[in-house]
C-alpha cells in the first residue's frame, strides 16, 4: 500500500497570503496524484488531477506540481472560501489511498 | 448538472445492517466507475468500495465480506449494503463517480452519517 504523508498538518495563514501544501508518497506514483478540497459539511471537491491539471471550474490561484514521490499544492492568494482541509490521493495502484490532510485555517 | 446525492444513513446497533443509496443525475451510473469513500470522526478519507462499469467490484480489506456494492441501472442509483456493522464503521459515507486506477473521484456527494452504537 502506498502511504501518502501530508505536511504540515495545519497551516495558519491570513487571507491574501500564499499557501504551500506538501504530499509525499512512500513510493513513486508518477504523476497520478490528485488534490481535493473539503469544507465542513460539504462534498469534497476535485481541485487538481494528474499532479498539475486544474479540474473544471477551479480558479487559477490553485496550482499543483511534482512527480514521483513529492508533490505540492499552491494557493497563490488565499480567499475566505479557501479555508478548508486539503487531501492528496493517488491512483497508482490498489488500494487507492488518501493523505491525512492539511487544514488551512485563518490566522 | 452532474451530481450525486446519498441517503440511508442513521443510528444502528453493532451487528446490524444498513443500506446506503446514491442517486446520480446528469450521467449514467451503469457507464461509469462508482465508489464509496468514508470519513470516521476526526480521521481522514478512506476508500471503501468500487464498482466498475462492467460490474466488477472491489473492497477495502476493512469491509471485505461484510459490505456489498451494487447498482440499479433503471433507477440510476448506487448502493452500499452494510452487514455485521461495528463501532469502527461509524463515519460519514460519501458516494463519488470514479475512483479506479484509471480516474479520479469527481463529483462527490455531501455524504450520509452512519453511527454504529448500542
Amino acid at each position: 500500500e502506498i502511504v501518502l504523508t501530508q505536511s504540515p498538518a495545519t497551516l495558519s495563514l491570513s487571507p491574501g497570503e500564499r499557501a504551500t501544501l506538501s504530499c509525499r508518497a512512500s513510493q513513486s506514483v508518477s504523476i497520478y496524484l490528485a488534490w481535493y478540497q473539503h469544507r465542513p459539511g460539504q462534498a469534497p471537491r476535485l481541485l487538481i488531477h494528474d499532479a498539475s491539471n486544474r479540474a473544471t471550474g477551479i480558479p487559477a490561484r490553485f496550482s499543483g506540481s511534482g512527480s514521483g514521490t513529492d508533490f505540492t499544492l499552491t494557493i497563490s492568494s488565499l480567499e475566505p472560501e479557501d479555508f478548508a482541509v486539503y487531501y492528496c490521493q493517488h491512483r497508482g495502484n490498489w488500494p487507492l489511498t488518501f493523505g491525512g490532510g492539511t487544514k488551512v485555517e485563518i490566522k | 448538472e452532474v451530481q450525486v446525492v446519498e441517503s440511508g444513513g442513521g443510528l444502528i446497533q453493532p451487528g446490524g445492517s444498513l443500506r446506503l443509496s446514491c442517486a446520480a443525475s446528469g450521467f449514467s451510473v451503469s457507464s461509469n466507475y462508482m465508489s464509496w469513500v468514508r470519513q470516521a470522526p476526526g480521521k481522514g478519507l478512506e476508500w471503501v468500495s468500487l464498482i466498475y462499469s462492467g460490474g466488477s467490484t472491489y473492497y477495502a480489506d476493512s469491509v471485505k465480506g461484510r459490505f456489498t456494492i451494487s447498482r440499479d441501472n433503471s433507477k440510476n442509483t448506487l448502493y452500499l449494503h452494510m452487514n455485521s456493522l461495528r463501532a469502527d464503521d461509524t463515519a460519514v459515507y460519501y458516494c463519488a463517480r470514479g475512483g479506479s486506477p484509471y480516474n479520479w473521484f469527481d463529483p462527490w456527494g455531501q455524504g450520509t452519517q452512519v453511527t454504529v452504537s448500542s
Side-chain angles (χ1 to χ4, degrees):
Chain A
E1 173 176 319
I2 295 176
V3 177
L4 298 178
T5 302
Q6 291 188 242
S7 61
T10 304
L11 201 50
S12 298
L13 295 168
S14 300
E17 289 193 295
R18 183 184 188 89
T20 304
L21 288 66
S22 174
C23 177
R24 176 164 290 176
S26 58
Q27 63 188 80
S28 176
V29 296
S30 184
I31 62 166
Y32 300 123
L33 189 107
W35 292 92
Y36 299 87
Q37 178 191 65
H38 193 193
R39 299 182 185 127
Q42 295 191 19
R45 179 172 68 149
L46 176 67
L47 295 177
I48 302 288
H49 63 88
D50 298 294
S52 61
N53 296 292
R54 274 190 305 276
T56 302
I58 301 303
R61 65 181 181 274
F62 292 93
S63 64
S65 63
S67 66
T69 61
D70 289 300
F71 300 86
T72 301
L73 173 69
T74 302
I75 310 171
S76 59
S77 178
L78 285 164
E79 297 287 339
E81 62 268 27
D82 298 338
F83 292 92
V85 181
Y86 293 83
Y87 295 96
C88 59
Q89 177 244 325
H90 82 86
R91 61 174 179 88
N93 55 22
W94 290 109
L96 309 182
T97 56
F98 294 86
T102 291
K103 181 179 182 180
V104 179
E105 65 176 25
I106 299 176
K107 187 175 182 180
Chain B
E1 182 186 4
V2 173
Q3 66 175 1
V4 293
V5 178
E6 305 93 337
S7 61
L11 175 62
I12 188 78
Q13 292 189 339
S17 299
L18 205 58
R19 187 187 77 168
L20 305 183
S21 301
C22 169
S25 55
F27 69 97
S28 170
V29 163
S30 63
S31 301
N32 284 271
Y33 301 149
M34 296 293 298
S35 294
W36 290 96
V37 177
R38 68 185 180 182
Q39 184 175 33
K43 303 290 186 181
L45 298 169
E46 178 191 20
W47 169 77
V48 172
S49 183
L50 162 73
I51 185 167
Y52 273 30
S53 52
S56 299
T57 58
Y58 298 84
Y59 301 93
D61 288 345
S62 57
V63 307
K64 201 172 294 182
R66 301 187 298 121
F67 289 12
T68 302
I69 191 171
S70 66
R71 66 190 181 209
D72 184 330
N73 296 341
S74 65
K75 295 182 179 179
N76 208 30
T77 298
L78 178 74
Y79 300 102
L80 186 67
H81 307 260
M82 305 186 294
N83 297 320
S84 303
L85 283 161
R86 312 185 303 222
D88 62 1
D89 293 318
T90 294
V92 177
Y93 284 74
Y94 298 96
C95 165
R97 182 176 61 176
S100 78
Y102 311 108
N103 48 35
W104 306 106
F105 298 102
D106 182 46
W108 300 60
Q110 290 198 318
T112 186
Q113 174 72 49
V114 173
T115 302
V116 184
S117 174
S118 54

